[in-house]
Amino acid sequence: MPATAAAQDAALLRRETDIIWLAVASALVFFMQAGFALLESGMSRTKNSVNVLMKNYIDLCIGTLVFWMFGYGVMFGDNPSGWYGTSDFFLSGASELDYSLLMFQTMFAATAVTIASGAMAERTRFSAYLLLSILVTGIIYPVYGSWVWGGGWLAERGFIDFAGSTVVHSIGGWCALAGVIVLGPRLGRFGSGGKPAYIAGHHLPQVALGGFVLWLGWFGFNGGSTTAASLSIGPINLNTHLAAAAGVVGIIILSMILRIPLLLTNTVNGALGGLVAITAGCATMEPGYAIITGLVAGAFVIGGTALLALLRLDDVVGAIPVHGFCGAWGTLAAGLFYDGDLFNGERIVTQLLGIGAGLLWALPLAFILFRVLDGLVGLRVPERFEMQGLDYAEHYEIAYPEFGNVQLHRGKEF
Amino acid sequence: MPATAAAQDAALLRRETDIIWLAVASALVFFMQAGFALLESGMSRTKNSVNVLMKNYIDLCIGTLVFWMFGYGVMFGDNPSGWYGTSDFFLSGASELDYSLLMFQTMFAATAVTIASGAMAERTRFSAYLLLSILVTGIIYPVYGSWVWGGGWLAERGFIDFAGSTVVHSIGGWCALAGVIVLGPRLGRFGSGGKPAYIAGHHLPQVALGGFVLWLGWFGFNGGSTTAASLSIGPINLNTHLAAAAGVVGIIILSMILRIPLLLTNTVNGALGGLVAITAGCATMEPGYAIITGLVAGAFVIGGTALLALLRLDDVVGAIPVHGFCGAWGTLAAGLFYDGDLFNGERIVTQLLGIGAGLLWALPLAFILFRVLDGLVGLRVPERFEMQGLDYAEHYEIAYPEFGNVQLHRGKEF
Amino acid sequence: MPATAAAQDAALLRRETDIIWLAVASALVFFMQAGFALLESGMSRTKNSVNVLMKNYIDLCIGTLVFWMFGYGVMFGDNPSGWYGTSDFFLSGASELDYSLLMFQTMFAATAVTIASGAMAERTRFSAYLLLSILVTGIIYPVYGSWVWGGGWLAERGFIDFAGSTVVHSIGGWCALAGVIVLGPRLGRFGSGGKPAYIAGHHLPQVALGGFVLWLGWFGFNGGSTTAASLSIGPINLNTHLAAAAGVVGIIILSMILRIPLLLTNTVNGALGGLVAITAGCATMEPGYAIITGLVAGAFVIGGTALLALLRLDDVVGAIPVHGFCGAWGTLAAGLFYDGDLFNGERIVTQLLGIGAGLLWALPLAFILFRVLDGLVGLRVPERFEMQGLDYAEHYEIAYPEFGNVQLHRGKEF
């Protein structure tokens, strides 16, 4: 083989390897949808578990088509203003690599949109939620994304968010926060005098499995964010794993200090908090700092959950602490622990700017959209439906018809 | 390194990359077995859920050995007649790539055989089902497969079935159809006057998880059907994902038009129908057509399910609409929407020929085999066993001994 | 591109491909944690299912940090004596490939430690188990590992254990054996006169899913043990799959011969026994011998389970037969069926030496550690806790609060 043919073949193999890695990573990130579905359904009551699963399926499917039609172009199209993209809608006739990138980014958009469903579980009207998921995948997520990953104004300032602690997770978390503010808490969540009453999820093994599936998917989420074959996949995924483990160890230590029980739900959320937090800086940190990032994330999970209860905000699965707060912390940590240049003040300021921009973009906008949806179709189901359970009231089916689902027999059970 | 050594090394790396991709894809397709087990078990009643799981395990294991012994040779061995292969039985001493291909194809054979188990659930004798799975993996599936993928007569005519809408899914679906015809419906499935009575599956979260696992596995099923590192993996898997999402959106639209509830089981089957349909043409279609293929598949799922009920055929999980009908539709769609040459009449005729050949090969042959098995060992369990549940009657164990499985206490529950 | 630049680029792509394969394999082996959690939780009673899940989560997280701090250095650090490593603790500033290897090996350590949790389920004190997992990940596992994979004395003698039938599985199994000896059987496991009483697991679909997840993970466990892009990944994973299938077929045949019911738990354990057994020799055996290795492993599962019952040892999930006995058998089989040099006496002696060294290292040491832990904190929970269930007594939560978990209402249920 002459040298030029050999070089062409080598270049082709490199592109093919890039596409294989993107395909593997896309599959892993896709599987996170199953993780969210299991986790959120398990943390809900039996009578709402089908509703949660349906939201996860339908927001994925609608979001996938909306992102192909609009979102991808808004996020990655030509971006002359630095504020949003203006091309690549209904992507067609593109290169194999562009199709691979669209696939990978579709999975990210689907992750961002599904974060809110868990926080808002057990009381949100199905149709309103689906309208929301169109707006998140078509506007809220990709506009902010264009600022960071689409060559926009935050990218130009050197803001670091390698795989989306802010772009995906905090944005999703702030949408969730807006949602629970507009929705209000579930019936019975805050008893007389506003004292929080614990409402147990109906299926803890499902929660545990969901946590493992999400953790697995994160190796595609972070590792795949190289979007190409790269040596750095190794340290990125090691950091990812260490931070997740450290998130749980943070929960253990804090539970011992505070003398509170080490709950399975907190344990799973500790791992997820560590994963969310390391997402921004996984490519630019040494392992020891990844562990610190994870440990601190565990504290944000416990503290954030307590803070929400104090504010009478009802987040069914802890999505706001895990994705919102840990996402913000992790984005800051990416600046603090930047390899070879720790605690650089300028970088820290840039990181805070990006975090703040995400909060100021997503929270008010989502709040307004939720209010408008509330006025148009009603964001919350009627009280009677909430007591019956959304599965029966909105979907005409129940999750386990043979396991004595008590809520169908008791009129006032909630 | 001299140029020739470099070229050899590059060629080696290419072969290694091929094998890595095949290994990843094989693992993903293997995992579809878990998806089928979850989906089919969840759509069955508690009293038959172990039976369904056992069928999935045992047909995989027996099928794996039978395919190594006979099936692979029948499908991919030297094929002088164009109708079946005649070498490569008990594959041994082969190259690493051949072993990789055997592995990948074993997972396909296991998929084909397990499709029937869901349709025939809750009333089929375990031993009869196992004999069937030997015949499917050893004869029905690989003989047809040799026509298309083993260089046989359909391959020569340019029949397009990239990853097996017909080869795997329709063939499996027609076996399922033959099975439910011979078996007859479950007790109580069609009430007095033949009116269909809905028999709810016992565990919808399992169904939802099974759907996600199958969807995940399809990225190996379709993407892996390149059987080598290839740029086309990118668009193939994008099309796969878009068609699945569109299948669900098709179900949503049709449910709204027909004013029927959007059931979780239909939603999951809509995704699967889209996946089955895009399997034939995923490598030769632009994304917009993949979406159309999926949307129409959603209609085939709803329509096919209604048709079977009308014909008093009892398919517990909807395997016949999803795999049989959507497989046929998708094979046609691969001809209709061929990139750069839409609606070519000659290609459409070839596709119809292949679809028809699959139907005429698998349905009568499976019907005869089922009849013979019925005469020899009895295809259907005694009525008493069906009422008790197959778990207790055939397996001496029950799925959830602590959850108050009511069927053990009520003699006539079914 | 000049020839040297091309060669450098080719070498880079090779290293990147190595790292991609390690990342994929690490993710698959990680997912085995979910498989263990599902399997062990499903085979336990409802009242202890959260406890099992928590052990799986916490031993993974603590084990991950301990292995980074100590275990990796003990196992893979400079090993002048041939008995343990002495460098690479708190790995930092390392190459991308070293980080990838640490990641992959961390997943192996996590597998080794979690094996014991299933055998010791339903009666072990949570805090004692966690101390144990530190000792296994920090000492027992990596010291033996350094002998085989860290260039130690067994490596020098040509001992074959490609992916860890002994290094991971038997070592884990012998720890489990020591644990059940020290713990004693669960209340009610051996009735009056010592007759074994069957205690059914609470969730067989979870067991089945766990089995599929473990099987999936094994394609990373064995295939990934090349630790680099390699043609041999193809035959390795084919052998892995064939042995798993053969393990189940072995169970079927033996169940027919012995006229015992073909239980789902035995079926799943048959597959796992086949997988454990082929782990040592998967890279150095032809497919036919992989099948034999698996078939015999099925017999070890059935026979080993019966042996333990005879000895009044209570292994809740069958971890000792599956990992201990099948691991030893498979390590022997790797010597017996070595490709191109079958039944070489010298090799068989070396294999027996390695198997014996593992047993003599892990069993007494684990036994002593368990005894010490028993003296310090109490290895077993009080009888009252065991009757209540560990979920309520140790974790303050229950797995399925809405499914009528009978154990909370009956004081003496066990």
Side-chain angles (χ1 to χ4, degrees):
Chain A
M1 182 154 46
T4 47
Q8 279 171 8
D9 192 64
L12 176 64
L13 184 59
R14 171 168 288 284
R15 288 204 308 279
E16 287 167 347
T17 306
D18 292 346
I19 279 177
I20 287 174
W21 176 238
L22 276 170
V24 170
S26 299
L28 287 170
V29 182
F30 165 79
F31 202 40
M32 292 173 69
Q33 293 290 322
F36 281 111
L38 289 164
L39 185 98
E40 297 174 8
S41 170
M43 285 196 191
S44 304
R45 283 163 292 180
T46 302
K47 65 181 179 181
N48 299 314
S49 55
V50 168
N51 178 262
V52 171
L53 298 168
M54 286 297 282
K55 280 182 188 154
N56 278 278
Y57 259 93
I58 306 291
D59 70 20
L60 168 67
C61 294
I62 292 182
T64 291
L65 299 192
V66 170
F67 196 74
W68 173 67
M69 293 189 284
F70 302 107
Y72 185 74
V74 171
M75 192 153 167
F76 294 100
D78 296 335
N79 192 348
S81 69
W83 292 85
Y84 54 89
T86 55
S87 65
D88 292 340
F89 305 108
F90 295 84
L91 195 69
S92 197
S95 74
E96 289 93 348
L97 188 61
D98 282 344
Y99 280 146
S100 297
L101 288 169
L102 166 58
M103 173 81 167
F104 186 64
Q105 295 299 338
T106 299
M107 301 310 177
F108 272 57
T111 304
V113 74
T114 213
I115 288 168
S117 75
M120 300 167 66
E122 305 208 291
R123 61 213 193 271
T124 306
R125 190 183 296 274
F126 194 64
S127 55
Y129 178 77
L130 298 188
L131 290 171
L132 167 79
S133 64
I134 294 173
L135 297 169
V136 172
T137 349
I139 299 171
I140 300 180
Y141 168 71
V143 168
Y144 184 81
S146 79
W147 303 351
V148 183
W149 293 344
W153 68 275
L154 278 168
E156 282 175 11
R157 285 166 189 261
F159 176 61
I160 302 162
D161 188 6
F162 180 69
S165 283
T166 293
V167 173
V168 179
H169 294 282
S170 283
I171 295 293
W174 306 144
C175 291
L177 179 56
V180 304
I181 292 171
V182 175
L183 270 176
R186 288 167 291 173
L187 293 173
R189 176 68 175 88
F190 297 103
S192 55
K195 198 168 166 297
Y198 182 65
I199 300 178
H202 85 287
H203 200 313
L204 293 190
Q206 242 179 54
V207 173
L209 177 59
F212 277 126
V213 169
L214 285 166
W215 192 330
L216 170 71
W218 237 285
F219 296 131
F221 200 93
N222 287 359
S225 288
T226 57
T227 68
S230 163
L231 297 177
S232 63
I233 294 162
I236 286 169
N237 276 0
L238 176 67
N239 281 342
T240 301
H241 183 66
L242 289 172
V248 174
V249 172
I251 295 276
I252 297 171
I253 294 169
L254 210 59
S255 298
M256 288 169 70
I257 292 173
L258 301 175
R259 296 174 175 279
I260 56 174
L262 179 61
L263 296 177
L264 185 138
T265 44
N266 281 347
T267 301
V268 172
N269 275 345
L272 299 182
L275 289 162
V276 168
I278 199 60
T279 295
C282 54
T284 51
M285 232 184 246
E286 277 292 307
Y289 291 105
I291 291 173
I292 294 171
T293 302
L295 284 168
V296 175
F300 271 90
V301 169
I302 296 275
T305 304
L307 178 67
L308 290 178
L310 208 70
L311 297 171
R312 307 279 173 271
L313 294 171
D314 182 14
D315 173 354
V316 175
V317 303
I320 299 163
V322 166
H323 299 277
F325 301 162
C326 290
W329 153 243
T331 308
L332 178 61
L336 294 172
F337 304 142
Y338 194 85
D339 190 29
D341 184 24
L342 297 170
F343 308 109
N344 174 314
E346 203 179 329
R347 184 171 287 117
I348 292 167
V349 170
T350 306
Q351 294 302 100
L352 290 171
L353 179 70
I355 296 164
L359 181 67
L360 291 176
W361 163 250
L363 187 61
L365 181 56
F367 185 82
I368 292 165
L369 289 173
F370 279 120
R371 280 281 190 214
V372 171
L373 280 175
D374 198 23
L376 289 176
V377 296
L379 191 59
R380 185 161 182 153
V381 297
E383 194 168 306
R384 183 169 52 91
F385 284 17
E386 189 175 341
M387 288 194 287
Q388 272 188 315
L390 303 185
D391 294 2
Y392 187 76
E394 293 219 281
H395 302 278
Y396 309 98
E397 55 187 349
I398 55 176
Y400 317 93
E402 298 181 43
F403 290 179
N405 301 52
V406 290
Q407 76 278 9
L408 290 181
H409 308 299
R410 299 187 199 167
K412 291 190 176 276
E413 172 74 17
F414 56 85
Chain B
M1 183 154 46
T4 47
Q8 281 171 8
D9 192 65
L12 176 64
L13 184 58
R14 172 169 288 283
R15 288 204 307 281
E16 288 168 346
T17 306
D18 292 346
I19 279 176
I20 286 174
W21 175 238
L22 276 170
V24 170
S26 298
L28 287 170
V29 182
F30 165 79
F31 202 40
M32 291 172 70
Q33 293 290 322
F36 281 111
L38 289 163
L39 184 97
E40 297 174 7
S41 171
M43 286 195 191
S44 305
R45 283 164 292 180
T46 303
K47 65 181 180 181
N48 299 314
S49 55
V50 169
N51 177 262
V52 171
L53 298 168
M54 286 297 282
K55 279 182 187 156
N56 278 279
Y57 259 93
I58 306 291
D59 69 20
L60 168 67
C61 295
I62 292 182
T64 291
L65 299 191
V66 169
F67 197 75
W68 173 66
M69 293 190 282
F70 301 108
Y72 185 75
V74 171
M75 192 153 166
F76 294 100
D78 298 333
N79 191 350
S81 69
W83 292 86
Y84 53 89
T86 56
S87 65
D88 292 341
F89 305 107
F90 295 84
L91 196 69
S92 197
S95 74
E96 289 92 349
L97 187 61
D98 281 344
Y99 280 146
S100 297
L101 288 168
L102 166 59
M103 173 80 167
F104 187 64
Q105 295 299 338
T106 300
M107 301 311 176
F108 272 57
T111 305
V113 74
T114 214
I115 287 168
S117 75
M120 300 167 66
E122 305 208 289
R123 62 218 195 265
T124 307
R125 190 185 295 276
F126 194 64
S127 55
Y129 178 77
L130 299 187
L131 290 170
L132 167 78
S133 65
I134 294 173
L135 298 168
V136 172
T137 350
I139 299 173
I140 300 180
Y141 167 72
V143 167
Y144 185 81
S146 79
W147 303 351
V148 183
W149 293 345
W153 67 275
L154 278 167
E156 283 176 9
R157 285 166 189 260
F159 176 61
I160 303 161
D161 188 7
F162 180 70
S165 283
T166 293
V167 173
V168 179
H169 294 283
S170 282
I171 294 293
W174 308 145
C175 291
L177 179 56
V180 304
I181 292 172
V182 175
L183 270 176
R186 289 168 290 173
L187 293 173
R189 175 68 174 88
F190 297 103
S192 56
K195 198 168 167 297
Y198 183 65
I199 300 178
H202 86 286
H203 201 313
L204 294 190
Q206 241 179 53
V207 173
L209 176 59
F212 277 126
V213 169
L214 286 166
W215 191 330
L216 170 71
W218 237 284
F219 297 131
F221 200 93
N222 287 358
S225 288
T226 56
T227 68
S230 164
L231 297 177
S232 64
I233 295 162
I236 287 169
N237 276 359
L238 177 66
N239 282 341
T240 301
H241 183 66
L242 289 173
V248 174
V249 173
I251 295 277
I252 297 172
I253 294 169
L254 210 59
S255 298
M256 287 170 70
I257 292 173
L258 300 175
R259 295 175 174 280
I260 55 174
L262 178 62
L263 296 177
L264 185 138
T265 44
N266 281 347
T267 301
V268 172
N269 275 345
L272 299 182
L275 289 162
V276 167
I278 199 60
T279 296
C282 54
T284 50
M285 233 184 246
E286 278 292 307
Y289 291 104
I291 291 172
I292 294 171
T293 302
L295 285 168
V296 174
F300 271 91
V301 169
I302 295 276
T305 304
L307 178 69
L308 290 179
L310 207 70
L311 297 171
R312 307 278 174 273
L313 294 172
D314 181 14
D315 173 353
V316 175
V317 304
I320 300 164
V322 166
H323 298 277
F325 301 162
C326 291
W329 153 244
T331 308
L332 179 60
L336 295 172
F337 305 142
Y338 194 85
D339 191 30
D341 184 23
L342 298 170
F343 307 111
N344 173 314
E346 204 179 327
R347 184 171 288 117
I348 291 166
V349 170
T350 306
Q351 293 303 99
L352 290 171
L353 180 71
I355 295 165
L359 181 67
L360 291 177
W361 163 252
L363 186 61
L365 181 56
F367 185 82
I368 293 164
L369 290 173
F370 279 120
R371 280 283 191 211
V372 171
L373 280 175
D374 197 24
L376 288 176
V377 297
L379 190 60
R380 186 161 182 155
V381 297
E383 194 169 305
R384 184 169 51 89
F385 283 19
E386 189 175 341
M387 289 194 287
Q388 271 187 316
L390 304 185
D391 294 2
Y392 187 76
E394 293 219 280
H395 302 278
Y396 308 99
E397 54 187 348
I398 55 175
Y400 315 94
E402 297 181 43
F403 290 179
N405 300 53
V406 289
Q407 75 279 9
L408 290 181
H409 308 299
R410 299 185 200 170
K412 290 190 179 276
E413 172 75 18
F414 56 86
Chain C
M1 183 154 46
T4 47
Q8 280 171 7
D9 191 63
L12 176 64
L13 184 58
R14 172 167 290 284
R15 287 204 309 280
E16 287 168 348
T17 306
D18 292 347
I19 279 177
I20 286 175
W21 176 238
L22 275 170
V24 170
S26 299
L28 287 170
V29 182
F30 165 79
F31 202 40
M32 290 172 70
Q33 293 290 322
F36 281 111
L38 289 163
L39 185 98
E40 296 174 8
S41 170
M43 285 196 192
S44 304
R45 283 163 294 180
T46 302
K47 65 181 179 182
N48 298 314
S49 55
V50 168
N51 177 262
V52 171
L53 298 168
M54 286 296 283
K55 280 181 188 156
N56 278 278
Y57 259 92
I58 307 291
D59 70 19
L60 168 66
C61 295
I62 292 182
T64 291
L65 299 192
V66 170
F67 196 74
W68 172 67
M69 293 189 282
F70 302 107
Y72 185 75
V74 171
M75 192 153 166
F76 293 100
D78 297 334
N79 192 349
S81 69
W83 292 86
Y84 53 89
T86 55
S87 64
D88 293 340
F89 304 109
F90 295 83
L91 194 70
S92 197
S95 75
E96 289 94 347
L97 188 60
D98 281 344
Y99 280 146
S100 297
L101 288 169
L102 167 58
M103 173 80 166
F104 187 64
Q105 296 299 339
T106 300
M107 301 309 175
F108 272 58
T111 304
V113 74
T114 213
I115 288 167
S117 75
M120 299 167 67
E122 305 208 289
R123 61 214 193 270
T124 307
R125 190 184 295 274
F126 194 65
S127 54
Y129 178 77
L130 298 187
L131 290 170
L132 168 79
S133 64
I134 293 172
L135 298 168
V136 172
T137 349
I139 300 172
I140 300 181
Y141 168 72
V143 167
Y144 184 82
S146 79
W147 303 351
V148 183
W149 294 344
W153 66 276
L154 278 167
E156 282 175 10
R157 286 165 188 262
F159 176 61
I160 303 162
D161 188 6
F162 180 70
S165 283
T166 293
V167 173
V168 179
H169 293 282
S170 282
I171 294 293
W174 307 145
C175 291
L177 179 57
V180 304
I181 293 171
V182 175
L183 271 176
R186 289 168 290 173
L187 293 172
R189 176 67 175 88
F190 297 102
S192 56
K195 199 169 165 297
Y198 183 66
I199 300 178
H202 85 287
H203 200 314
L204 293 190
Q206 241 180 54
V207 173
L209 177 58
F212 278 125
V213 169
L214 286 165
W215 191 330
L216 171 71
W218 237 284
F219 297 132
F221 200 93
N222 287 358
S225 288
T226 57
T227 68
S230 164
L231 297 177
S232 64
I233 295 161
I236 287 169
N237 276 0
L238 177 67
N239 282 342
T240 300
H241 183 67
L242 289 173
V248 173
V249 172
I251 295 276
I252 296 171
I253 295 169
L254 209 59
S255 297
M256 287 169 71
I257 293 172
L258 300 174
R259 295 174 174 280
I260 55 173
L262 178 63
L263 296 177
L264 185 139
T265 44
N266 281 346
T267 300
V268 171
N269 275 344
L272 299 182
L275 289 163
V276 167
I278 198 61
T279 295
C282 54
T284 50
M285 232 183 247
E286 277 293 306
Y289 291 105
I291 290 172
I292 294 170
T293 301
L295 285 168
V296 174
F300 271 90
V301 169
I302 296 275
T305 304
L307 177 68
L308 290 179
L310 207 70
L311 297 171
R312 306 279 173 274
L313 294 172
D314 182 15
D315 173 353
V316 175
V317 304
I320 300 163
V322 165
H323 299 278
F325 301 161
C326 290
W329 153 243
T331 308
L332 179 60
L336 294 172
F337 304 142
Y338 194 86
D339 190 30
D341 184 23
L342 298 169
F343 309 110
N344 174 316
E346 203 179 328
R347 183 170 289 116
I348 292 166
V349 170
T350 305
Q351 294 302 100
L352 291 171
L353 179 70
I355 295 164
L359 180 67
L360 291 177
W361 164 251
L363 186 61
L365 181 55
F367 185 83
I368 292 164
L369 290 173
F370 279 120
R371 280 282 191 213
V372 171
L373 281 175
D374 198 23
L376 288 177
V377 296
L379 190 60
R380 185 160 181 155
V381 297
E383 193 168 308
R384 183 169 52 89
F385 284 18
E386 190 176 340
M387 288 193 288
Q388 272 188 315
L390 303 186
D391 294 1
Y392 187 75
E394 293 219 282
H395 302 279
Y396 308 97
E397 55 187 347
I398 56 176
Y400 316 94
E402 298 180 43
F403 289 178
N405 300 52
V406 290
Q407 77 279 8
L408 291 181
H409 308 297
R410 299 186 200 168
K412 290 191 178 277
E413 173 73 17
F414 55 86

